[in-house]
């Protein structure tokens, strides 16, 4: 398995000094009514030409995009970049390379760093580390100071510094009073509260989904109810406050149903799902592989079925990775001692194309909504377009390319993933944003 190589990285994240031509790409941008084989010329980081025949006498970097799809850049609204605090597991630089290699041109990063993103200084630090990055990096501020669930963080200051949402992700907000205040404050700034929904009274010292396999394996299980009780509470608080609430990494049939009903009522409730929650089930834990341990845990086949239905009918707004790098030492422990979480940025697009497009669950137009438009809309960010004169922010992927995730070049500092043996169909080829280009190998 090839891994992070800093020297290799520096030569790959180049500025676009010359013109770039995406030749004969299948361009899809429903916002511009584009769905055709086109040639796109980028000049100084902007889209300068869109034509049905390749421009003659083109001088620059020609990318043969035959058979490939070109869309506005993909966005992942839920990643853990570990900096500041755990730079041994990931940094903003290595995480942004993992994002680019996976086909993402933008991410929002969670505040469970050390220190937490609960002051303007930490928001500013992250923005500084991300200067000159191809990948747009948006910090998410903490709901409570130190993410301890007790005292509200200075939300106005965090928003002023550039936080696009608030969340205590990694931990739930157990106090309904604090969650009420968070929804009231965030409403003043029109930002969403992103909820890690887990009643810790039901999940403490538990390590996998509670069901047939937890009984079979003798591992204490986390009931679906632990998530659903908080989803139900926070939907009620959203209705009461008129705030905006987003359910992170939805994992149970009951939660999907609660969100569907909240939407039908017209509440400002949205949700995301991770690839591992629509691909894997708790059966995978039989291997005792610690890379099948995440929070929320892999659920039952019935839950996966409900999630697929939620993706299909639009109840689930976005697909996010919950990219959670952990060191090998930590993940090489016994299952019950291992930390929760897996990497996701570099495997997500292959899983989305293989499992959702390949199995006729979502069309490319629907994938565009869930991976390009909705995550940005939820965070009040503008959605890039394939349009002459616009800044180029693009993802090129080959939907037919067969590859094995475990054999691929990776840029994350961590390797904890259950998808090593997966044969995938569909791979990111090139991303281009902020005047920079990244070509996956
Ligand atoms: Zn979480
Ligand atoms: Zn997370």
């Amino acid at each position: 398995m090839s891994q992070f190589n800093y020297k290799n990285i520096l030569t790959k994240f180049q500025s676009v000094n010359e013109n770039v031509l995406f030749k004969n790409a299948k361009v899809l941008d429903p916002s511009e009514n584009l769905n055709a084989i086109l040639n796109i010329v980028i000049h100084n980081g902007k889209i300068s030409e869109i034509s049905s025949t390749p421009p003659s006498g083109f001088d620059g970097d020609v990318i043969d995009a035959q058979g490939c799809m070109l869309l506005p850049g993909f966005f992942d609204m839920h990643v853990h970049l570990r900096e500041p605090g755990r730079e041994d597991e990931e940094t903003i630089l290595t995480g942004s390379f993992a994002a680019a290699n996976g086909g993402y041109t933008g991410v929002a990063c969670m505040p469970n760093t050390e220190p937490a993103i609960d002051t303007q200084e930490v928001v500013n630090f992250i923005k500084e580390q991300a200067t000159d990055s191809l990948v747009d990096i948006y910090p998410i501020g903490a709901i409570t100071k130190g993410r301890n669930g007790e005292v509200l963080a200075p939300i106005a200051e965090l928003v002023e510094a550039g936080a696009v949402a608030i969340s205590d992700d990694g931990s739930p907000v157990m106090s309904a009073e604090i969650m009420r205040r968070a929804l009231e404050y965030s409403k003043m700034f029109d930002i969403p509260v992103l909820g890690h929904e887990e009643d810790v009274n039901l999940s403490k010292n538990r390590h996998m989904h509670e069901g047939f396999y937890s009984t079979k394996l003798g591992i204490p299980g986390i009931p679906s109810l632990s998530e659903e009780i908080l989803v139900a509470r926070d939907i009620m608080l959203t209705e009461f406050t008129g705030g905006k609430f987003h359910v992170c990494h939805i994992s149970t049939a009951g939660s999907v149903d609660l969100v569907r009903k909240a939407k039908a009522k017209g509440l400002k409730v949205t949700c995301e799902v991770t690839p591992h929650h629509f691909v894997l089930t708790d059966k995978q834990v039989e291997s005792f592989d610690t890379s099948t341990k995440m929070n929320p845990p892999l659920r039952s086949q019935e839950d996966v079925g409900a999630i697929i239905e939620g993706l299909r009918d639009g109840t689930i707004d976005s697909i996010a990775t919950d990219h959670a790098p952990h060191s090998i030492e930590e993940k090489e422990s016994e299952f019950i001692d291992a930390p929760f979480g897996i990497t996701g940025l570099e495997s997500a697009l292959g899983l989305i194309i293989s499992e959702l497009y390949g199995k006729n669950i979502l069309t490319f137009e629907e994938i565009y909504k869930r991976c390009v438009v909705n995550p940005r809309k939820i965070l009040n960010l503008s959605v890039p377009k394939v349009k002459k004169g616009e800044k180029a922010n693009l993802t090129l992927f080959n939907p037919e390319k067969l590859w094995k995730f475990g054999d691929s070049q990776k840029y994350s500092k961590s390797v904890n993933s259950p998808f090593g043996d997966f044969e995938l169909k569909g791979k990111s080829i090139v991303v281009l944003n902020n005047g920079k280009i990244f070509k996956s190998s």
Side-chain angles (χ1 to χ4, degrees), residues 78-80 82 110 112 167 169-171 196 248-249 272 274 295-296 321-324:
H78 186 149
V79 303
H80 297 271
R82 303 297 187 216
M110 285 295 181
N112 63 336
S167 180
D169 185 52
S171 310
H196 171 112
C248 292
H249 42 53
E272 72 194 22
T274 69
N295 190 11
T321 66
D322 197 5
H323 179 76

Side-chain angles (χ1 to χ4, degrees), residues 44-60:
N44 285 338
K46 283 189 170 177
I47 297 171
S48 63
E49 201 178 326
I50 302 175
S51 58
S52 50
T53 50
S56 56
F58 176 80
D59 184 24

Side-chain angles (χ1 to χ4, degrees), residues 40-224:
I40 309 284
V41 177
I42 317 297
H43 179 65
N44 285 338
K46 283 189 170 177
I47 297 171
S48 63
E49 201 178 326
I50 302 175
S51 58
S52 50
T53 50
S56 56
F58 176 80
D59 184 24
D61 186 3
V62 179
I63 293 160
D64 179 9
Q66 189 88 38
C68 295
M69 301 288 303
L70 187 69
L71 271 70
F74 278 40
F75 193 95
D76 185 351
M77 66 180 293
H78 186 149
V79 303
H80 297 271
L81 298 181
R82 303 297 187 216
E83 188 180 0
R86 286 305 301 267
E87 291 83 356
D88 60 316
E89 295 182 334
E90 197 78 285
T91 65
I92 290 159
L93 180 71
T94 61
S96 64
F97 275 96
N101 190 41
Y104 289 94
T105 62
V107 301
C109 58
M110 285 295 181
N112 63 336
T113 46
E114 296 164 25
I117 309 179
D118 61 0
T119 60
Q120 287 198 332
E121 286 69 31
V122 186
V123 173
N124 290 332
F125 169 79
I126 289 166
K127 283 166 62 185
E128 274 161 33
Q129 294 300 102
T131 317
D132 297 333
S133 176
L134 180 156
V135 178
D136 301 321
I137 295 179
Y138 297 95
I140 295 165
I143 296 172
T144 63
K145 282 187 187 163
R147 295 173 45 258
N148 62 15
E150 288 164 13
V151 179
L152 276 185
I155 295 166
E157 289 174 28
L158 296 175
V159 172
E160 188 189 60
V164 292
I166 50 171
S167 180
D168 271 1
D169 185 52
S171 310
V173 174
M174 283 306 296
S175 159
E177 159 70 7
I178 296 277
M179 199 51 150
R180 173 189 171 177
R181 299 292 168 217
L183 283 159
E184 284 169 349
Y185 273 108
S186 59
K187 199 181 153 188
M188 293 195 252
F189 311 104
D190 196 33
I191 58 162
V193 178
L194 318 181
H196 171 112
E197 305 299 79
E198 171 192 0
D199 184 328
V200 291
N201 299 305
L202 290 165
S203 63
K204 200 162 54 185
N205 299 323
R206 294 169 176 268
H207 309 279
M208 67 176 291
H209 173 61
E210 180 181 280
F212 174 80
Y213 288 100
S214 65
T215 308
K216 184 178 172 192
L217 301 172
I219 296 175
I222 302 168
S224 297

Side-chain angles (χ1 to χ4, degrees), residues 23-45:
K23 195 174 168 188
N24 294 322
K26 287 187 194 168
V27 179
L28 176 70
D29 184 354
S31 75
E32 289 294 301
N33 289 318
L34 287 181
N35 187 3
I37 293 176
L38 293 166
N39 298 274
I40 309 284
V41 177
I42 317 297
H43 179 65
N44 285 338

